[in-house]
Structure formats: C-alpha cells, structure tokens
Amino acid sequence: MEKRNFVPLIILLAISILGVFVPNVPTQIVTEGVNGGDTAWLLVSAALVLLMTPGLAYFYGGMVNNKNVISTMLQSFIAMGVISVLWVVVGFSLAFGDDMGGFIGNPMTHFMFKGVLDGPIWGTIPFGLFAMFQMKFAVITPALVTGSMAERVNFRSYVLFIILFCLFIYSPLAHMTWHADGILFKMGVLDFAGGTVVHMSAGWAALAGALYLKRRKSLLEDHVLPPANIPFVLLGTGLLWFGWFGFNAGSALAASPLAVSAFATTNTAAGAAGLSWVLFDAAKGKKVSALGFCIGAVVGLVAITPAAGFVTVPAALFIGTVASIISNYVAHLRTRSTLDDTLDVFPCHGVGGMVGMLMTGIFATSGINPLVTDQGLAFGETKLFINHVIALVGVSAFAFAGSFLLLKITDLILPLRVSEQDEKTGLDVSQHDEFLVEA
C-alpha cells in the first residue's frame, strides 16, 4: 500500500461541486447559420481525433518492453480524463478566450464553459462543437510527450506535468497561432491542424524531458529489452492514420472541397513517408521492418499536419518523403548520442513538425486555400517563409525552455523519476500493481 493522498480527489470533488453552483445554463441555443452537413462532419472528426489517443497508446505501448506496457498505455488514456476536465474548467478559455497581449486568452472568458454552448456559431458550426473539437487536440499533445520519458517516469508526477503543460505551453501556443488576435496569427504564420501547436510543442517538451530525466538504468547497463508487441504498433499506426483524417480534414471546419484536399494530402504524405523510411533503411543495408514503416508513416502524418490545407497533393508527396528521411537520419544520430529519448519523440514529432512548418512556408498557395495571402517560397514570394523561420525559432525556444522549467517545478513537488528498484521491477507493477500475463 502506498501512502494515502486525498489531495487530488479533493480537487476533483471541488471542481465537480463548483459545476453545481456554476452551471452556466445557456440563455439561448444559436441555430441560425448552422450547417447540418458541416456540423455532422465535425462531430465525426472530433471523435476521430479522440480515437488517435488510444491509437497512440497502442503505438507507444507496443514499442516499450513487457514490464512497462500498461503504464505507457495508461499515460495516454489518463490524458483523456485529465485534459478533458481541465479544458472545460479553464483550458479552452486560455486558448480561445478574449485576447491578453497576443499570447494568452482571458481565463475567465469561458470559465467552466461559460458562453460556449450558447456562443455565436464558429463559421457554420456551433461554437460548443468547435470547443470540443479543439479539446481533442489538447488531449493528445501531452500524451505525445510520454514516449520520451517512457520506462522511468513517476506516474503521479507525469499527471501533474501534463496539467502544467496544457496551461502554460499548449494553451498559449494555441492562442498565439489560432486566435485572430494571437501574435503568430497576426504575423501570418500558417498552421492548418497543429504542426506548431501540437507536434513542435510536444517534440520540444519531449527533448526537455529526455534531458531532464537522463538515461534509463537498463540503457546504461546494456539490458534494454526488445519491443513488447510489434502488432500493437501496427494497430496503433492504423488507428492514428485513420484518426488523422479527422485531425487534418476536420480542421477545414466544414464538409467542403478544402476538407477533401486536406484528406488527400494527409493520406499521400503518410504513404510516401512510410515507404521513404523503409527504403532509406534498405539503402543503408537494413531489412524492411514493420516498425520502420509505422514510424515513417506517422512522421509523414506529422509533417503534413501544418500544411494539409495549404498545399497541393504532389507537394504532400514531397513533404512526406523528405520529412521521413530527415527524421530517420536524426533518429539515427540520436542513437549514437547519450540522449535517451526512449521512443524518438523529438526526431519524429519535433523534427517532423519543424520540417512541416518550413515546407508550409515553401509550398502554401492560395490556389488551394484563399486564406493564403502570401504565397510560399516555391511561388516566388519570401515573406511567408521568413515568418515561418522566425516563428519556428520562437516557438522552439518557448516550448523547450518552458517545458524544462515545468519539469523542474514538477520535480520539486513530486519526484519525476521512479527509484532504481522501481525502474528495474517495471512501471506496470511499481506504479499500478498490474502486469501482463506471459503466454
């Protein structure tokens, strides 16, 4: 038995009781201007994006060793609970509330979902649906970080960290990038579905986590075990690929030709990247592997995310292929270093997101999306690309430094790393008293 701790339960009960006294009953439900087809598509898209988090659980869970599968998978699932509650209380308000200096939203604007269900329509969909769609992005982002700290992070500390990450890293970046008054939005930075907000932030946080937690004991002793279940990785990849159509095509916020274009670029980039990864491996003398194709496909999905609704399908082919090769090479360099990013989150999500951001600055065209006011570098204009380079540097510094600071704060409150004995035993047993039964 662990030492009893009533604090988290008391906090949840307090929030729940607050919901009784602050019910925020809608004064009216806005129906005028709502398009049924667009609303139906976004409801489906929101569900697809949520499915990506269980997909991520299988993707990551299959790659760790047998004694850490349950813990690794639970780290994704628990984010579905923690961030869902946090988003309703204050997260959505911080991301999309009234602007405060171009960096953050007013936490009281939509506190406890005030004015959300009865808010003005967002384009052609209910405002509440937009809020829930965005919530799914907020859920998966901190879950992505877990791969870099797998097999050695304290579960309770992880939960505290993702709360802080959502409040102080994710929500500000969402506001800066997607709110009309956000500083990056005003710069003209394009991020169709979260290359900057989701993947770069998670990638840099993952790098910070790997550096802060240092190497696994098993890595130092050359006792690293093989992946627990490659079929889990294949299943997770399939769920991620499937859900990503909601992630990218859903970000058109309408059942429209733009959604179709984003759907096509998403699939094309994923397919090209999966092939590119295994063919690059083969060129180096390695065998074609299931793990390699899966990782490559996910890199392609990451890289096309910021560009999905701004570039052509042939450009998506190029983006997927090139991003996969670059991430593969960075992952190779990582294995030759002392950095223990367990599941290569930074090479795949961080680097993939940055490549995608730069590629958006190169290939974005108003021929696909009229919101592109400055053409990409490939079309003879430089402003968009330069702004993306500036934003890349700024976002990278903010996400890395901010995450490192939050890791330090978390560690001061709850030790981030499990004991050497707990790590040796495995997190499934030491953190959760659960384990896989050997066949």
Side-chain angles (χ1 to χ4, degrees):
M1 292 290 292
E2 291 193 356
K3 182 180 179 181
R4 295 181 179 183
N5 184 2
F6 291 98
V7 174
L9 178 61
I10 291 171
I11 293 173
L12 179 59
L13 285 171
I15 292 171
S16 302
I17 292 170
L18 181 62
V20 175
F21 292 98
V22 189
N24 287 326
V25 178
T27 56
Q28 62 176 349
I29 300 295
V30 179
T31 58
E32 185 177 355
V34 172
N35 182 283
D38 294 344
T39 300
W41 168 235
L42 262 294
L43 284 167
V44 171
S45 293
L48 286 170
V49 179
L50 185 65
L51 183 65
M52 292 172 66
T53 301
L56 181 71
Y58 276 97
F59 185 74
Y60 279 174
M63 285 194 280
V64 295
N65 60 62
N66 270 348
K67 60 186 180 180
N68 294 304
V69 173
I70 296 170
S71 177
T72 300
M73 295 182 75
L74 181 58
Q75 287 166 13
S76 290
F77 275 89
I78 202 72
M80 295 167 68
V82 172
I83 304 302
S84 291
V85 172
L86 188 63
W87 193 251
V88 167
V89 177
V90 73
F92 179 65
S93 202
L94 290 172
F96 293 97
D98 295 337
D99 178 64
M100 296 176 64
F103 293 95
I104 194 72
N106 188 327
M108 300 310 295
T109 304
H110 301 297
F111 180 72
M112 296 295 286
F113 253 33
K114 179 179 67 177
V116 172
L117 293 182
D118 54 347
I121 66 170
W122 193 279
T124 58
I125 63 172
F127 187 56
L129 176 54
F130 173 75
M132 294 305 293
F133 179 66
Q134 285 293 331
M135 184 189 79
K136 314 307 182 183
F137 288 71
V139 166
I140 196 172
T141 305
L144 291 170
V145 181
T146 62
S148 71
M149 301 183 285
E151 303 186 342
R152 62 201 188 278
V153 67
N154 183 306
F155 183 75
R156 289 181 296 176
S157 303
Y158 159 73
V159 172
L160 175 58
F161 172 73
I162 67 173
I163 292 172
L164 297 175
F165 179 87
C166 184
L167 292 176
F168 298 107
I169 303 295
Y170 180 84
S171 292
L173 279 176
H175 184 86
M176 286 187 268
T177 306
W178 289 330
H179 193 283
D181 294 319
I183 184 170
L184 296 180
F185 187 93
K186 285 186 171 182
M187 280 176 60
V189 172
L190 301 176
D191 185 0
F192 192 73
T196 303
V197 179
V198 176
H199 297 292
M200 279 182 59
S201 69
W204 282 107
L207 180 61
L211 288 169
Y212 191 87
L213 285 179
K214 299 181 173 61
R215 305 178 82 186
R216 287 164 287 168
K217 298 297 181 182
S218 58
L219 196 66
L220 292 170
E221 299 168 0
D222 293 324
H223 291 156
V224 176
L225 299 174
N229 196 318
I230 299 299
F232 268 21
V233 181
L234 288 162
L235 174 61
T237 303
L239 291 171
L240 283 167
W241 196 327
F242 178 65
W244 224 292
F245 292 122
F247 203 77
N248 286 359
S251 292
L253 301 180
S256 64
L258 182 59
V260 176
S261 179
F263 192 104
T265 55
T266 298
N267 193 73
T268 301
L275 291 174
S276 178
W277 190 285
V278 295
L279 293 178
F280 187 60
D281 279 350
K284 295 185 292 183
K286 296 182 179 180
K287 292 182 179 179
V288 172
S289 68
L291 198 62
F293 182 84
C294 289
I295 294 172
V298 170
V299 169
L301 291 165
V302 169
I304 198 60
T305 292
F310 301 120
V311 304
T312 65
V313 175
L317 187 66
F318 179 82
I319 291 170
T321 299
V322 172
S324 183
I325 292 173
I326 293 173
S327 288
N328 186 312
Y329 182 69
V330 174
H332 172 68
L333 291 180
R334 199 279 307 164
T335 62
R336 300 178 64 181
S337 72
T338 58
L339 177 68
D340 188 12
D341 182 345
T342 313
L343 304 181
D344 282 325
V345 181
F346 179 72
C348 295
H349 290 274
V351 173
M354 286 187 283
V355 170
M357 186 182 188
L358 293 177
M359 291 290 186
T360 305
I362 295 172
F363 294 110
T365 171
S366 57
I368 294 294
N369 192 328
L371 293 179
V372 177
T373 55
D374 299 303
Q375 304 292 312
L377 195 63
F379 299 94
E381 297 184 20
T382 59
K383 182 178 179 181
L384 179 64
F385 182 75
I386 291 172
N387 283 341
H388 273 222
V389 172
I390 294 170
L392 184 148
V393 174
V395 169
S396 298
F398 171 74
F400 177 76
S403 296
F404 200 91
L405 177 61
L406 294 181
L407 287 164
K408 180 65 177 178
I409 293 171
T410 301
D411 199 23
L412 291 173
I413 300 171
L414 292 169
L416 262 171
R417 184 157 181 163
V418 299
S419 68
E420 185 173 347
Q421 181 57 47
D422 283 351
E423 184 180 338
K424 185 176 181 180
T425 302
L427 303 190
D428 290 357
V429 172
S430 67
Q431 300 290 295
H432 310 292
D433 280 333
E434 296 173 315
F435 56 90
L436 294 179
V437 177
E438 295 290 340

